[in-house]
């Protein structure tokens, strides 16, 4: 599942996990766990992780290889934060082929102006930490916290220049991957995630997964299709 910062990727991944009852595999979480436990791998990657640089393809590929051969991945899994490079994408395709598994690539497509407006509308109370949004959760009195009346501020991460920079970085690193899957996958789905409610976006993802044939792969055997799929999708 690919999606820019602010695209709702976290929310949608969680919906898919709950629906299909398959594990979500986050390479970032696995790497952080190695650092926390102080393993050899953890020691080797700590500096790169702190600097926000990617760790080597070989290492990440190896971690993913080991993880997806665990028994809980038999019916499928969602990859989060992987692949990040074309070399990783090639290795992923090769790995899946050896397992007799098939990829489905979901790209959450959003209008960057919508994301910038959404993130620019976020405010936080510097005293109690409550989050507000001028569109979806405005404070009762503009500019002040409902709970303690403190003047609200903009988080460093949400400043427009910072958001634009993160989006530009995302675009530069992800577009080559989307291009790769355009050429090498029959199951790349570009899902419009710009403006509709999360449940509506999830309906589109379900449609894509059904079209990709996950129903036939046995993955849905333990899911109640009639109950879990919104009307009109199946
Ligand atoms: P973020 O979305 O903030 O980048 P992640 O949890 O996905 O967070 O990743 C955190 C860090 O872990 C990355 O900055 C990078 O150093 C490392 N990392 C995670 N996934 C990969 C990957 N597929 N390839 C290389 N490095 C990765």
């Amino acid at each position: 599942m690919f999606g820019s910062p602010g695209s709702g990727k976290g929310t949608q991944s969680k919906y898919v996990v709950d629906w299909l009852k398959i594990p979500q595999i986050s390479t970032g979480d696995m790497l952080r766990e190695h650092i926390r436990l102080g393993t050899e791998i953890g020691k080797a990657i700590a500096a790169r992780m702190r600097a926000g640089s990617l760790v080597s393809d070989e290492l990440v590929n190896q971690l993913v290889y080991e993880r997806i051969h665990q028994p809980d991945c038999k019916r499928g899994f969602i990859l989060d934060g992987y692949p990040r490079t074309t070399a990783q994408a090639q290795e992923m395709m090769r790995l899946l082929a050896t397992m007799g598994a098939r990829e489905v690539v979901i790209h959450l497509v959003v209008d960057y102006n919508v994301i910038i407006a959404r993130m620019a509308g976020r405010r936080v109370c510097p005293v109690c930490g409550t989050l507000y949004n001028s569109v979806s959760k405005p404070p009762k009195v503009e500019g002040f916290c409902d709970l303690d009346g403190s003047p609200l501020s903009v988080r460093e991460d949400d400043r427009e220049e910072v958001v634009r920079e993160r989006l530009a970085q995302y675009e530069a690193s992800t577009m080559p991957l989307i291009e790769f899957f355009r050429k090498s996958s029959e199951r790349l789905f570009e899902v419009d995630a710009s403006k509709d409610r999360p449940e509506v976006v999830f309906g589109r993802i379900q449609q894509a997964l059904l079209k990709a044939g996950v129903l036939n792969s046995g993955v849905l055997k333990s899911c109640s299709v009639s109950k879990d799929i919104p009307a009109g999708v199946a």
Side-chain angles (χ1 to χ4, degrees):
M1 176 109 65
F2 291 104
S4 68
S7 65
K9 178 166 73 90
T11 307
Q12 296 301 333
S13 300
K14 185 160 184 327
Y15 281 153
V16 177
V17 164
D18 291 347
W19 180 45
L20 298 181
K21 317 272 186 301
I22 55 177
Q24 178 165 2
I25 299 172
S26 155
T27 45
D29 285 350
M30 286 197 285
L31 294 166
R32 275 187 291 274
E33 184 67 2
H34 274 283
I35 293 182
R36 195 180 68 80
L37 296 173
T39 65
E40 285 306 310
I41 291 178
K43 286 179 201 148
I45 62 175
R48 294 194 71 77
M49 292 271 295
R50 252 198 315 275
S53 336
L54 293 185
V55 309
S56 77
D57 290 336
E58 291 72 27
L59 174 67
V60 187
N61 287 338
Q62 180 64 26
L63 288 178
V64 168
Y65 173 88
E66 284 164 17
R67 180 65 188 85
I68 67 182
H69 282 87
Q70 300 290 314
D72 64 330
C73 291
K74 275 221 170 69
R75 292 167 54 256
F77 44 85
I78 302 189
L79 292 167
D80 173 6
Y82 180 92
R84 280 268 226 294
T85 63
T86 317
Q88 291 177 15
Q90 276 164 340
E91 178 59 11
M92 182 197 87
M93 292 296 264
R94 200 189 63 77
L95 263 179
L96 293 182
T98 62
M99 299 168 81
R102 290 183 311 185
E103 82 295 345
V104 183
V105 183
I106 306 275
H107 181 207
L108 298 176
V109 181
V110 289
D111 178 339
Y112 287 170
N113 289 325
V114 173
I115 295 203
I116 289 165
R118 197 187 287 158
M119 290 169 96
R122 293 213 283 219
R123 295 288 180 274
V124 63
C125 171
V127 176
C128 68
T130 304
L131 289 170
Y132 297 90
N133 188 299
S134 55
V135 182
S136 55
K137 193 194 169 202
K140 293 200 183 83
V141 181
E142 197 190 321
F144 295 94
C145 181
D146 290 351
L147 303 183
D148 54 33
S150 311
L152 300 177
S153 55
V154 179
R155 270 192 348 182
E156 176 63 20
D157 280 3
D158 290 344
R159 281 180 33 232
E160 184 168 332
E161 312 85 88
V162 178
V163 173
R164 279 188 192 281
E165 175 57 27
R166 280 169 66 205
L167 289 172
Q169 274 179 19
Y170 171 82
E171 181 89 5
S173 60
T174 309
M175 278 311 145
L177 289 169
I178 301 297
E179 270 312 307
F180 169 85
F181 285 118
R182 250 183 218 134
K183 291 196 199 99
S184 54
S185 173
E186 286 164 15
R187 287 170 296 276
L188 165 66
F189 296 90
E190 310 261 10
V191 172
D192 178 7
S194 272
K195 47 192 178 309
D196 297 302
R197 282 179 299 116
E199 308 87 80
V200 176
V201 175
F202 180 54
R204 293 187 186 121
I205 294 177
Q206 289 182 306
Q207 266 170 353
L209 291 171
L210 293 174
K211 208 166 146 201
V214 290
L215 262 183
N216 308 329
S217 70
V219 82
L220 287 183
K221 285 223 174 78
S222 60
C223 310
S224 161
V225 174
S226 55
K227 176 167 79 54
D228 295 342
I229 300 182
V233 172

